[in-house]
mmCIF file of all heavy atoms in Angstrom:
data_model
loop_
_atom_site.group_PDB
_atom_site.id
_atom_site.type_symbol
_atom_site.label_atom_id
_atom_site.label_comp_id
_atom_site.label_asym_id
_atom_site.label_seq_id
_atom_site.Cartn_x
_atom_site.Cartn_y
_atom_site.Cartn_z
ATOM 1 N N VAL A 169 25.434 22.808 -23.218
ATOM 2 C CA VAL A 169 25.838 23.640 -22.081
ATOM 3 C C VAL A 169 27.172 24.321 -22.375
ATOM 4 O O VAL A 169 27.383 25.491 -22.019
ATOM 5 C CB VAL A 169 25.918 22.786 -20.795
ATOM 6 C CG1 VAL A 169 26.587 23.572 -19.663
ATOM 7 C CG2 VAL A 169 24.533 22.335 -20.365
ATOM 8 N N SER A 170 28.081 23.603 -23.029
ATOM 9 C CA SER A 170 29.378 24.191 -23.372
ATOM 10 C C SER A 170 29.206 25.410 -24.281
ATOM 11 O O SER A 170 29.868 26.448 -24.105
ATOM 12 C CB SER A 170 30.259 23.145 -24.061
ATOM 13 O OG SER A 170 31.499 23.687 -24.444
ATOM 14 N N LYS A 171 28.311 25.301 -25.272
ATOM 15 C CA LYS A 171 28.045 26.442 -26.160
ATOM 16 C C LYS A 171 27.454 27.615 -25.379
ATOM 17 O O LYS A 171 27.833 28.770 -25.576
ATOM 18 C CB LYS A 171 27.094 26.010 -27.278
ATOM 19 C CG LYS A 171 27.710 25.033 -28.273
ATOM 20 C CD LYS A 171 26.681 24.565 -29.293
ATOM 21 C CE LYS A 171 27.278 23.528 -30.232
ATOM 22 N NZ LYS A 171 26.260 22.986 -31.181
ATOM 23 N N GLN A 172 26.498 27.308 -24.492
ATOM 24 C CA GLN A 172 25.880 28.363 -23.684
ATOM 25 C C GLN A 172 26.914 29.023 -22.775
ATOM 26 O O GLN A 172 26.924 30.243 -22.596
ATOM 27 C CB GLN A 172 24.744 27.764 -22.843
ATOM 28 C CG GLN A 172 23.958 28.764 -22.017
ATOM 29 C CD GLN A 172 23.205 29.766 -22.868
ATOM 30 O OE1 GLN A 172 22.765 29.437 -23.967
ATOM 31 N NE2 GLN A 172 23.070 30.987 -22.377
ATOM 32 N N GLN A 173 27.801 28.222 -22.219
ATOM 33 C CA GLN A 173 28.848 28.745 -21.345
ATOM 34 C C GLN A 173 29.788 29.673 -22.123
ATOM 35 O O GLN A 173 30.175 30.732 -21.614
ATOM 36 C CB GLN A 173 29.633 27.575 -20.747
ATOM 37 C CG GLN A 173 30.646 27.965 -19.686
ATOM 38 C CD GLN A 173 31.299 26.738 -19.063
ATOM 39 O OE1 GLN A 173 30.968 25.608 -19.405
ATOM 40 N NE2 GLN A 173 32.212 26.962 -18.157
ATOM 41 N N SER A 174 30.127 29.285 -23.345
ATOM 42 C CA SER A 174 31.002 30.125 -24.172
ATOM 43 C C SER A 174 30.342 31.457 -24.489
ATOM 44 O O SER A 174 30.993 32.519 -24.453
ATOM 45 C CB SER A 174 31.351 29.392 -25.470
ATOM 46 O OG SER A 174 32.086 28.222 -25.209
ATOM 47 N N LYS A 175 29.039 31.437 -24.786
ATOM 48 C CA LYS A 175 28.316 32.682 -25.051
ATOM 49 C C LYS A 175 28.333 33.593 -23.839
ATOM 50 O O LYS A 175 28.572 34.807 -23.950
ATOM 51 C CB LYS A 175 26.868 32.374 -25.450
ATOM 52 C CG LYS A 175 26.700 31.765 -26.823
ATOM 53 C CD LYS A 175 25.229 31.500 -27.105
ATOM 54 C CE LYS A 175 25.040 30.834 -28.466
ATOM 55 N NZ LYS A 175 23.607 30.526 -28.728
ATOM 56 N N CYS A 176 28.069 33.022 -22.675
ATOM 57 C CA CYS A 176 28.053 33.818 -21.446
ATOM 58 C C CYS A 176 29.425 34.425 -21.155
ATOM 59 O O CYS A 176 29.535 35.566 -20.699
ATOM 60 C CB CYS A 176 27.586 32.958 -20.272
ATOM 61 S SG CYS A 176 25.831 32.542 -20.320
ATOM 62 N N MET A 177 30.478 33.648 -21.435
ATOM 63 C CA MET A 177 31.831 34.145 -21.190
ATOM 64 C C MET A 177 32.161 35.308 -22.126
ATOM 65 O O MET A 177 32.785 36.291 -21.725
ATOM 66 C CB MET A 177 32.838 33.011 -21.363
ATOM 67 C CG MET A 177 32.797 31.977 -20.250
ATOM 68 S SD MET A 177 33.910 30.586 -20.527
ATOM 69 C CE MET A 177 35.494 31.413 -20.388
ATOM 70 N N ARG A 178 31.717 35.199 -23.392
ATOM 71 C CA ARG A 178 31.972 36.296 -24.337
ATOM 72 C C ARG A 178 31.229 37.556 -23.929
ATOM 73 O O ARG A 178 31.768 38.665 -23.986
ATOM 74 C CB ARG A 178 31.564 35.872 -25.751
ATOM 75 C CG ARG A 178 32.521 34.879 -26.401
ATOM 76 C CD ARG A 178 32.299 34.775 -27.889
ATOM 77 N NE ARG A 178 30.967 34.279 -28.197
ATOM 78 C CZ ARG A 178 30.674 32.988 -28.363
ATOM 79 N NH1 ARG A 178 31.628 32.075 -28.233
ATOM 80 N NH2 ARG A 178 29.451 32.606 -28.664
ATOM 81 N N ARG A 179 29.964 37.397 -23.486
ATOM 82 C CA ARG A 179 29.184 38.560 -23.063
ATOM 83 C C ARG A 179 29.786 39.196 -21.812
ATOM 84 O O ARG A 179 29.842 40.417 -21.680
ATOM 85 C CB ARG A 179 27.735 38.144 -22.794
ATOM 86 C CG ARG A 179 26.959 37.750 -24.037
ATOM 87 C CD ARG A 179 25.635 37.137 -23.654
ATOM 88 N NE ARG A 179 24.920 36.615 -24.811
ATOM 89 C CZ ARG A 179 23.883 35.784 -24.725
ATOM 90 N NH1 ARG A 179 23.456 35.384 -23.532
ATOM 91 N NH2 ARG A 179 23.284 35.362 -25.817
ATOM 92 N N THR A 180 30.246 38.349 -20.892
ATOM 93 C CA THR A 180 30.858 38.863 -19.670
ATOM 94 C C THR A 180 32.133 39.617 -19.992
ATOM 95 O O THR A 180 32.417 40.675 -19.416
ATOM 96 C CB THR A 180 31.170 37.703 -18.707
ATOM 97 O OG1 THR A 180 29.963 37.015 -18.399
ATOM 98 C CG2 THR A 180 31.792 38.212 -17.415
ATOM 99 N N SER A 181 32.898 39.102 -20.958
ATOM 100 C CA SER A 181 34.143 39.761 -21.351
ATOM 101 C C SER A 181 33.867 41.138 -21.939
ATOM 102 O O SER A 181 34.552 42.115 -21.628
ATOM 103 C CB SER A 181 34.877 38.889 -22.371
ATOM 104 O OG SER A 181 36.043 39.521 -22.830
ATOM 105 N N LYS A 182 32.819 41.245 -22.774
ATOM 106 C CA LYS A 182 32.456 42.546 -23.347
ATOM 107 C C LYS A 182 32.008 43.499 -22.257
ATOM 108 O O LYS A 182 32.330 44.689 -22.260
ATOM 109 C CB LYS A 182 31.340 42.366 -24.375
ATOM 110 C CG LYS A 182 31.778 41.681 -25.656
ATOM 111 C CD LYS A 182 30.618 41.535 -26.613
ATOM 112 C CE LYS A 182 31.051 40.832 -27.891
ATOM 113 N NZ LYS A 182 29.899 40.663 -28.834
ATOM 114 N N ARG A 183 31.253 43.002 -21.296
ATOM 115 C CA ARG A 183 30.735 43.841 -20.216
ATOM 116 C C ARG A 183 31.867 44.359 -19.338
ATOM 117 O O ARG A 183 31.841 45.474 -18.837
ATOM 118 C CB ARG A 183 29.732 43.022 -19.380
ATOM 119 C CG ARG A 183 28.951 43.838 -18.372
ATOM 120 C CD ARG A 183 27.727 43.060 -17.926
ATOM 121 N NE ARG A 183 27.118 43.719 -16.785
ATOM 122 C CZ ARG A 183 27.235 43.332 -15.534
ATOM 123 N NH1 ARG A 183 27.944 42.256 -15.252
ATOM 124 N NH2 ARG A 183 26.645 43.986 -14.551
ATOM 125 N N ARG A 184 32.904 43.538 -19.165
ATOM 126 C CA ARG A 184 34.052 43.961 -18.357
ATOM 127 C C ARG A 184 34.815 45.101 -19.037
ATOM 128 O O ARG A 184 35.359 45.964 -18.380
ATOM 129 C CB ARG A 184 35.002 42.781 -18.129
ATOM 130 C CG ARG A 184 34.507 41.818 -17.069
ATOM 131 C CD ARG A 184 35.446 40.648 -16.940
ATOM 132 N NE ARG A 184 35.041 39.832 -15.801
ATOM 133 C CZ ARG A 184 35.411 40.053 -14.560
ATOM 134 N NH1 ARG A 184 36.174 41.082 -14.285
ATOM 135 N NH2 ARG A 184 35.001 39.287 -13.577
ATOM 136 N N LYS A 185 34.852 45.050 -20.375
ATOM 137 C CA LYS A 185 35.575 46.105 -21.090
ATOM 138 C C LYS A 185 34.819 47.422 -21.069
ATOM 139 O O LYS A 185 35.411 48.497 -21.155
ATOM 140 C CB LYS A 185 35.812 45.674 -22.542
ATOM 141 C CG LYS A 185 36.829 44.550 -22.679
ATOM 142 C CD LYS A 185 37.017 44.176 -24.132
ATOM 143 C CE LYS A 185 38.044 43.061 -24.274
ATOM 144 N NZ LYS A 185 38.223 42.667 -25.693
ATOM 145 N N GLY A 186 33.498 47.362 -20.962
ATOM 146 C CA GLY A 186 32.709 48.582 -20.933
ATOM 147 C C GLY A 186 32.465 49.106 -22.327
ATOM 148 O O GLY A 186 33.028 48.632 -23.322
ATOM 149 N N PRO A 187 31.596 50.130 -22.472
ATOM 150 C CA PRO A 187 31.205 50.622 -23.789
ATOM 151 C C PRO A 187 32.336 51.295 -24.542
ATOM 152 O O PRO A 187 32.293 51.396 -25.761
ATOM 153 C CB PRO A 187 30.089 51.616 -23.458
ATOM 154 C CG PRO A 187 30.336 52.034 -22.051
ATOM 155 C CD PRO A 187 30.923 50.842 -21.382
ATOM 156 N N TYR A 188 33.343 51.801 -23.854
ATOM 157 C CA TYR A 188 34.449 52.497 -24.526
ATOM 158 C C TYR A 188 35.772 51.745 -24.361
ATOM 159 O O TYR A 188 36.849 52.325 -24.326
ATOM 160 C CB TYR A 188 34.575 53.922 -23.983
ATOM 161 C CG TYR A 188 33.291 54.713 -24.101
ATOM 162 C CD1 TYR A 188 32.516 54.963 -22.986
ATOM 163 C CD2 TYR A 188 32.853 55.152 -25.356
ATOM 164 C CE1 TYR A 188 31.319 55.662 -23.094
ATOM 165 C CE2 TYR A 188 31.655 55.865 -25.470
ATOM 166 C CZ TYR A 188 30.888 56.117 -24.339
ATOM 167 O OH TYR A 188 29.717 56.801 -24.441
ATOM 168 N N SER A 189 35.660 50.425 -24.221
ATOM 169 C CA SER A 189 36.820 49.536 -24.103
ATOM 170 C C SER A 189 37.701 49.862 -22.917
ATOM 171 O O SER A 189 38.851 49.479 -22.863
ATOM 172 C CB SER A 189 37.688 49.598 -25.384
ATOM 173 O OG SER A 189 36.947 49.132 -26.479
ATOM 174 N N SER A 190 37.173 50.626 -21.949
ATOM 175 C CA SER A 190 37.935 50.875 -20.728
ATOM 176 C C SER A 190 37.697 49.737 -19.753
ATOM 177 O O SER A 190 36.641 49.109 -19.762
ATOM 178 C CB SER A 190 37.511 52.199 -20.090
ATOM 179 O OG SER A 190 36.125 52.155 -19.787
ATOM 180 N N SER A 191 38.657 49.493 -18.901
ATOM 181 C CA SER A 191 38.548 48.381 -17.956
ATOM 182 C C SER A 191 37.529 48.691 -16.884
ATOM 183 O O SER A 191 37.541 49.768 -16.297
ATOM 184 C CB SER A 191 39.902 48.106 -17.316
ATOM 185 O OG SER A 191 39.793 47.062 -16.398
ATOM 186 N N VAL A 192 36.600 47.793 -16.658
ATOM 187 C CA VAL A 192 35.580 47.950 -15.627
ATOM 188 C C VAL A 192 35.825 46.902 -14.561
ATOM 189 O O VAL A 192 35.894 45.710 -14.853
ATOM 190 C CB VAL A 192 34.159 47.769 -16.215
ATOM 191 C CG1 VAL A 192 33.118 47.887 -15.123
ATOM 192 C CG2 VAL A 192 33.923 48.799 -17.314
ATOM 193 N N ALA A 193 35.958 47.320 -13.339
ATOM 194 C CA ALA A 193 36.261 46.394 -12.245
ATOM 195 C C ALA A 193 34.995 45.678 -11.815
ATOM 196 O O ALA A 193 34.145 46.260 -11.134
ATOM 197 C CB ALA A 193 36.871 47.140 -11.076
#
Side-chain angles (χ1 to χ4, degrees):
V169 169
S170 178
K171 291 176 183 176
Q172 184 64 32
Q173 187 175 358
S174 297
K175 288 180 182 178
C176 289
M177 288 176 67
R178 286 195 298 269
R179 291 170 186 165
T180 301
S181 177
K182 289 180 181 179
R183 190 162 169 258
R184 283 177 173 274
K185 290 180 179 179
Y188 304 105
S189 297
S190 59
S191 179
V192 178

